Amino acid sequence: MKYRDLQIQTQREFPSNMRTQGFGWLIRAGYITRENELLPLGEGVLERLRALSNDSSFFLHPFESLRATLSLPIISNDTETYFPIATGSLEVANCSSCNYTARIELARFAKTALPQEEQLPLEKVLTPDCHTIELLTSFLNVPKEKTAKALMYTRLPDNKFVFAVVRGDMQLSEAKLKKQVGDIRPATVEEIVKSGAAAGYASPVGLKDALIVVDDLIPGSQNLVAGANETGYHLKNTNHGRDYSAEIVADLAQVKLGNACINCENALDVISALPLATRSEIFFENILLALAETHHDDKGLAFPKSAVPFDVYLMHIAGKELDTRAKAEELYNTLQSAGISVLFDDRNERAGVKFNDADLIGCPVRVTVGEKGLQEGKVEMKARNTKENQLVALDEIVPTLTK
Ligand SMILES: [Zn+2]
């Protein structure tokens, strides 16, 4: 393709709306617009990626394909592959030791049970204005892990009242709860009252018609402080099995930074990430951003060969005696006939402008047709990732590029 036909517009400055380095380089090199729409160069990368993904091994092993072929620093599990990036749309828990990886809402982790205690008698205590775990723990001077946190929902579509309990030092993962009970919405005040609970002072003790679901730490945790289902009061020493029983005991807690890995107990990281592939879908535009984020230097993009829109950046430098442009055009046709994809910079621009654009766009090889070389029947060849040029005889170019 010819530079002018593609209407490539490179930018000298990073855009003001630059979210990440890679995003900025894609705009400067003319792969996408500032509004994040694909331009012909960006389309070219996606075409290459689609061709790669047609290989059946890609879906079987997207992680290996993306890592080995595209040299992307990625993390993955059996079903999804992610690229860590601060602007990522997802949060993922990741173990740097064994590579356990999962979206945070479903990530499992090794929980630490509290020391076993004798069950003490239930005791109703006055706890005015203690409608949060924070207020309650400071008022009663108990640690958060000695409290039971209540969350109330209504199941769709049968309107079953769902009462979930996690230890007070943990957060409920709604995604984990939904896996157990199906789709839910927050319960209304009327529904809470009807079940016999009290918002801010709720516990599963003495409820009517409630589906009680507790985190798997709760049955082994004795003497937890929980609501008395009466505004202004809590119960000390509630015990699962004695004071109430859950229909479902399951992992309901959401992972936090530093929780222990379920496989190796190493401290988990929680990182922002972009999804690149699932078992049934590939997010090509996310891969384009991951490529730009990973493969650039201070001059522009430098993608791996299997992802570049063109193999060769061909340009001419205007001569005084020889028609370098005509010779470049001839070479352009020769290379295309040999099956090499070429971006021919056919503009009458200064050499420096074209060199800058070649570095920005980042084709693996730049071929320059200049008067001095032509007088010896040679052109200049330079790889994107080296500083050195080499002079190559015209009839040696195709063999050199295809070897
Ligand atoms: Zn681990």
Side-chain angles (χ1 to χ4, degrees):
M1 293 296 285
K2 294 185 181 173
Y3 196 98
R4 284 194 284 203
D5 293 339
L6 289 176
Q7 297 185 316
I8 294 169
Q9 284 287 335
T10 57
Q11 314 284 336
R12 293 177 63 176
E13 306 286 338
F14 281 109
S16 53
N17 68 337
M18 187 166 91
R19 290 175 289 199
T20 63
Q21 280 273 315
F23 182 71
W25 283 117
L26 286 172
I27 292 169
R28 281 193 61 189
Y31 283 61
I32 59 171
T33 66
R34 283 166 187 247
E35 291 72 39
N36 200 19
E37 286 152 358
L38 285 174
L39 290 167
L41 288 174
E43 292 281 7
V45 176
L46 262 59
E47 248 170 68
R48 284 274 174 113
L49 295 174
R50 284 197 192 96
L52 272 181
S53 71
N54 284 337
D55 187 332
S56 61
S57 70
F58 192 93
F59 272 115
L60 285 175
H61 311 286
F63 177 76
E64 289 308 322
S65 304
L66 289 166
R67 194 178 56 181
T69 317
L70 302 179
S71 305
L72 293 175
I74 50 179
I75 53 176
S76 80
N77 53 39
D78 287 346
T79 54
E80 290 189 303
T81 301
Y82 313 96
F83 177 74
I85 180 171
T87 56
S89 53
L90 301 173
E91 284 202 285
V92 176
N94 176 253
C95 174
S96 59
S97 175
C98 75
N99 289 323
Y100 172 77
T101 299
R103 293 191 186 212
I104 54 161
E105 61 270 26
L106 292 176
R108 297 171 62 219
F109 58 99
K111 297 173 184 170
T112 311
L114 300 173
Q116 295 290 299
E117 292 176 5
E118 284 284 306
Q119 293 189 355
L120 301 173
L122 263 188
E123 186 186 336
K124 185 170 160 183
V125 287
L126 181 65
T127 52
D129 300 323
C130 291
H131 53 277
T132 66
I133 292 283
E134 285 70 27
L135 292 166
L136 177 68
T137 50
S138 76
F139 181 81
L140 289 179
N141 197 24
V142 292
K144 280 184 180 179
E145 57 268 29
K146 292 297 287 178
T147 67
K149 187 187 282 183
L151 297 114
M152 293 169 280
Y153 297 89
T154 298
R155 181 162 67 186
L156 307 168
D158 67 354
N159 289 327
K160 182 76 181 171
F161 186 72
V162 176
F163 196 102
V165 181
V166 294
R167 219 169 62 182
D169 58 327
M170 296 185 169
Q171 296 292 331
L172 174 88
S173 159
E174 286 190 3
K176 288 181 177 178
L177 179 61
K178 284 179 186 174
K179 271 182 85 172
Q180 298 298 324
V181 303
D183 208 7
I184 48 172
R185 61 165 172 79
T188 64
V189 174
E190 294 74 33
E191 287 163 341
I192 291 170
V193 171
K194 197 174 155 220
S195 75
Y201 299 87
S203 80
V205 180
L207 296 187
K208 297 187 290 274
D209 295 329
L211 173 61
I212 298 171
V213 190
V214 302
D215 183 67
D216 48 14
L217 272 182
I218 295 295
S221 303
Q222 290 83 35
N223 305 325
L224 300 181
V225 176
N229 291 325
E230 188 180 335
T231 300
Y233 291 90
H234 277 86
L235 295 173
K236 279 182 163 178
N237 310 322
T238 67
N239 287 279
H240 178 271
R242 182 190 71 181
D243 306 317
Y244 68 96
S245 286
E247 276 80 5
I248 301 173
V249 177
D251 171 32
L252 298 181
Q254 171 130 339
V255 71
K256 278 189 301 203
L257 176 71
N259 279 153
C261 172
I262 189 77
N263 296 332
C264 73
E265 303 213 339
N266 181 49
L268 289 168
D269 291 322
V270 172
I271 47 188
S272 296
L274 209 54
L276 298 189
T278 66
R279 277 190 173 163
S280 57
E281 204 177 349
I282 300 173
F283 306 105
F284 291 105
E285 291 187 35
N286 290 351
I287 298 177
L288 174 63
L289 181 63
L291 282 166
E293 220 59 62
T294 311
H295 301 293
H296 68 256
D297 56 20
D298 57 356
K299 291 190 166 68
L301 299 171
F303 287 173
K305 278 182 182 172
S306 46
V308 287
F310 296 98
D311 301 316
V312 172
Y313 192 98
L314 172 66
M315 56 174 276
H316 69 286
I317 299 171
K320 290 196 178 84
E321 291 158 22
L322 296 175
D323 186 351
T324 51
R325 192 189 182 291
K327 202 71 203 173
E329 181 97 32
E330 209 177 285
L331 184 56
Y332 173 60
N333 293 327
T334 308
L335 295 177
Q336 300 242 93
S337 307
I340 297 163
S341 73
V342 186
L343 176 59
F344 178 21
D345 188 348
D346 54 343
R347 297 173 300 168
N348 292 314
E349 282 283 0
R350 285 183 296 115
V353 171
K354 293 186 176 183
F355 288 147
N356 282 343
D357 278 2
D359 281 340
L360 262 176
I361 293 168
C363 301
V365 178
R366 187 186 77 201
V367 174
T368 308
V369 180
E371 197 164 57
K372 202 166 158 229
L374 268 191
Q375 282 162 344
E376 300 168 37
K378 290 179 175 173
V379 296
E380 191 189 281
M381 211 174 202
K382 179 188 165 297
R384 175 63 179 81
N385 56 9
T386 61
K387 284 201 167 77
E388 296 79 40
N389 299 319
Q390 59 178 132
L391 281 172
V392 180
L394 279 164
D395 56 0
E396 279 301 311
I397 294 175
V398 171
T400 308
L401 286 172
T402 48
K403 82 178 171 206

